[in-house]
Amino acid sequence: MSKEQLPEPLDFFIWTVEDVGMWLEDINLGSYRQIFKEHGVNGEYLEGMSMFTTEQILRFIRQCHMKWGDFITLCKELRRIKG
């Protein structure tokens, strides 16, 4: 994927960690780019989040030091790209 080109939303489940980082920048959550990279959050991981238990969601939020509102934004944007 080119540095300038955002990843294609329809293919988000095959996004690389770098693609996820570009997407985070695009949805104004770029402050999480490095921590997502450190945790290996790629498109497959994002796809699987829809099946997370409450405990897994809370663990993810803690590990990524996310604000609750930012997590909600992340979920809304994921829902939007899933169509």
Side-chain angles (χ1 to χ4, degrees), residues 5-64:
Q5 186 180 1
L6 285 171
E8 191 62 42
L10 296 176
D11 300 330
F12 86 93
F13 54 90
I14 60 168
W15 285 357
T16 64
V17 170
E18 290 77 21
D19 293 335
V20 170
M22 286 189 292
W23 176 69
L24 288 172
E25 295 285 346
D26 190 52
I27 63 169
N28 298 315
L29 293 177
S31 61
Y32 298 103
R33 188 175 190 158
Q34 185 59 38
I35 193 107
F36 274 45
K37 183 177 183 177
E38 290 170 13
H39 288 284
V41 177
N42 59 15
E44 184 178 1
Y45 186 94
L46 292 176
E47 172 70 15
M49 285 178 65
S50 63
M51 302 198 344
F52 274 14
T53 63
T54 302
E55 182 179 320
Q56 289 170 312
I57 289 169
L58 294 174
R59 187 177 321 122
F60 174 79
I61 291 170
R62 277 194 308 270
Q63 286 176 338
C64 293

Side-chain angles (χ1 to χ4, degrees), residues 53-83:
T53 63
T54 302
E55 182 179 320
Q56 289 170 312
I57 289 169
L58 294 174
R59 187 177 321 122
F60 174 79
I61 291 170
R62 277 194 308 270
Q63 286 176 338
C64 293
H65 309 287
M66 288 192 90
K67 296 176 184 171
W68 183 248
D70 290 344
F71 180 75
I72 298 299
T73 298
L74 178 79
C75 292
K76 285 180 180 178
E77 290 297 325
L78 276 173
R79 193 171 353 170
R80 185 180 63 77
I81 62 173
K82 284 182 178 183

